[in-house]
């Protein structure tokens, strides 16, 4: 039958010996690479170490040297030299500058904290140097990130007056600080012969290097004595009374003293006294005790 022949033909086709299964090949990395490609890649790995992050010995040494150089520079910037730079204001001569230099250098080298810009105590440095040289009215230590040497700026005090307390006499600078004992004058200082002398009765403790008068009191005394000298009136003596608010001045050749108030204007106070003085002389009035000008534009005579 036809139907049976078709089935037999199909069966014959499936079993045909000419039908072969396709051979399956395994893939390998070098299967499709030429020998020249492999040689080129091998050469690149061997001859160009930079492509794999490898550094040669010269490059490594230079890198380490650069890091060390940077660290050394950073440490140098943060540290201070033990050789300070001394600068005197107003370009004045400091006779004992070598002594000040030695002491400043010694303070800087006394501890490791003074060798760093971040740990040095500038206030303590200034106080230590000031206690050693009380004749210096102002000491300022400045630190700069761009400068290795610390800068010490100094202001020299001018002797303003001599103050007597008990059996001791001291020279006081124009900043009101006791510079030295009159019997122990530093070699760097010279006491003027015409210094005003003030008796202290304020019961304040007087010590070298410490403040005994305010700057305004120093200026007040200087202004009063100047105004009197302009009228050819000398000053025989001056006394600072208890509390430190009153100055008693005895004019030369007079039996009385003048009572001044430190908290008032020196020029106005001296002007009031001079006007009263002239009036009393014109009226032939003799004052035996005092003229009190402590109240502004008022005068009381006794």
């Amino acid at each position: 039958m036809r139907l049976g022949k078709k089935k037999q033909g199909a069966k014959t086709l499936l079993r045909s010996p000419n039908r072969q299964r396709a051979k399956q090949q395994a893939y390998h990395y070098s299967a499709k690479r030429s020998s020249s490609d492999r040689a080129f890649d091998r050469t690149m790995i061997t001859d160009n170490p930079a492509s794999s992050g490898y550094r040669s010995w010269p490059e490594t040494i230079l890198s380490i040297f650069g890091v060390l150089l940077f660290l050394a520079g950073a440490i140098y910037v943060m540290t201070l030299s033990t050789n300070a730079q001394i600068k005197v204001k107003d370009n004045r001569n400091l006779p004992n500058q070598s002594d000040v230099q030695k002491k400043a250098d010694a303070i800087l080298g006394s501890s490791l904290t003074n060798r760093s810009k971040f740990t040095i105590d500038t206030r303590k440095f200034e106080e230590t140097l000031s206690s050693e040289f009380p004749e210096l009215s102002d000491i300022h230590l400045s630190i700069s990130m761009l400068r290795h040497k610390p800068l010490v700026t100094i202001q020299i005090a001018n002797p303003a007056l001599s103050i007597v307390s008990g059996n001791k006499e001291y020279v006081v600078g124009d900043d009101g600080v006791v510079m030295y004992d009159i019997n122990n004058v530093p070699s760097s200082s010279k006491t003027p012969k015409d210094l005003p002398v003030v008796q202290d009765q304020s019961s304040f403790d007087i010590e070298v290097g410490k403040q005994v008068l305010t700057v305004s009191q120093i200026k007040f005394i200087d202004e009063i004595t100047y105004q009197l000298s302009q009228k050819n009136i000398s000053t025989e003596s001056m006394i600072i009374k208890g509390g430190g608010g009153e100055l008693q001045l005895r004019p030369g050749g007079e039996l009385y003293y003048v009572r001044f108030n430190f908290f008032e204007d020196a020029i106005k106070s001296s002007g009031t006294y001079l006007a009263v003085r002239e009036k009393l002389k014109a009226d032939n009035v003799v004052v035996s005790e005092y003229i009190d000008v402590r109240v502004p534009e008022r005068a009381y005579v006794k």
Side-chain angles (χ1 to χ4, degrees):
M1 294 176 66
R2 291 182 180 180
L3 182 60
K5 287 182 180 181
K6 277 187 177 183
K7 288 182 180 180
Q8 187 177 4
K11 186 176 181 181
T12 303
L13 179 63
L14 291 173
R15 293 180 178 180
S16 174
N18 295 328
R19 182 72 175 177
Q20 295 182 357
R21 185 178 295 177
K23 187 177 181 180
Q24 191 175 20
Q25 293 184 353
Y27 177 79
H28 190 273
Y29 174 73
S30 60
K32 294 185 178 182
R33 299 177 68 204
S34 64
S35 59
S36 62
D37 290 340
R38 289 194 296 271
F40 176 76
D41 288 346
R42 193 174 298 115
T43 303
M44 291 295 291
I45 294 174
T46 303
D47 296 343
N48 189 15
S51 63
S52 62
Y54 174 80
R55 287 179 178 270
S56 64
W57 276 108
E59 290 175 331
T60 303
I61 293 174
L62 286 176
S63 298
I64 294 174
F65 180 76
V67 172
L68 293 176
L69 188 63
F70 173 79
L71 292 176
I75 293 173
Y76 180 82
V77 169
M78 292 186 294
T79 56
L80 284 172
S81 170
T82 56
N83 182 22
Q85 179 183 353
I86 306 296
K87 179 182 179 182
V88 183
K89 289 183 180 179
D90 304 324
N91 295 321
R92 295 176 58 185
N93 181 39
L94 183 60
N96 61 337
Q97 182 161 336
S98 60
D99 296 334
V100 175
Q101 181 76 60
K102 290 178 182 178
K103 184 61 180 180
D105 295 348
I107 297 172
L108 291 172
S110 62
S111 66
L112 290 177
T113 56
N114 289 344
R115 299 295 308 278
S116 172
K117 296 178 181 179
F118 301 102
T119 58
I120 187 170
D121 189 339
T122 57
R123 183 175 180 180
K124 184 178 180 180
F125 175 93
E126 294 164 357
E127 290 176 349
T128 304
L129 195 61
S130 178
S131 63
E132 188 75 16
F133 303 97
E135 66 270 23
L136 306 179
S137 62
D138 183 61
I139 299 174
H140 179 68
L141 175 66
S142 57
I143 306 297
S144 172
M145 294 303 295
L146 301 178
R147 185 173 57 241
H148 189 51
K149 276 189 175 184
L151 176 64
V152 182
T153 306
I154 293 173
Q155 176 73 52
I156 305 175
N158 292 313
L161 55 84
S162 174
I163 190 166
V164 179
S165 178
N167 58 353
K168 291 188 176 182
E169 185 175 355
Y170 305 89
V171 173
V172 180
D174 51 12
D175 57 351
V177 176
V178 180
M179 298 175 65
Y180 47 82
D181 189 322
I182 199 72
N183 296 318
N184 188 23
V185 182
S187 58
S188 60
S189 302
K190 185 177 181 180
T191 305
K193 296 180 179 180
D194 56 348
L195 277 181
V197 179
V198 178
Q199 296 283 336
D200 177 52
Q201 295 182 5
S202 63
S203 301
F204 292 153
D205 293 332
I206 298 179
E207 186 179 344
V208 175
K210 302 297 183 180
Q211 188 99 20
V212 65
L213 296 173
T214 65
V215 174
S216 61
Q217 285 176 315
I218 295 291
K219 291 181 178 180
F220 187 95
I221 293 172
D222 182 67
E223 189 63 49
I224 289 291
T225 54
Y226 172 77
Q227 293 297 329
L228 296 186
S229 67
Q230 292 298 101
K231 298 294 182 179
N232 297 319
I233 302 172
S234 62
T235 300
E236 186 174 311
S237 66
M238 287 182 285
I239 301 174
I240 298 177
K241 298 300 291 183
E246 180 182 341
L247 174 69
Q248 293 184 357
L249 182 148
R250 188 179 298 278
E254 300 291 352
L255 299 175
Y256 62 86
Y257 58 88
V258 186
R259 304 178 71 176
F260 291 100
N261 185 352
F262 273 122
F263 300 103
E264 297 299 330
D265 184 87
I267 295 179
K268 291 182 179 179
S269 297
S270 59
T272 300
Y273 162 66
L274 292 173
V276 172
R277 175 189 170 95
E278 292 299 320
K279 182 69 168 60
L280 294 174
K281 281 192 173 183
D283 295 342
N284 294 318
V285 176
V286 177
V287 181
S288 59
E289 191 169 345
Y290 63 78
I291 298 176
D292 190 343
V293 294
R294 289 178 296 171
V295 179
E297 299 181 0
R298 292 282 192 275
Y300 301 91
V301 179
K302 183 178 180 180

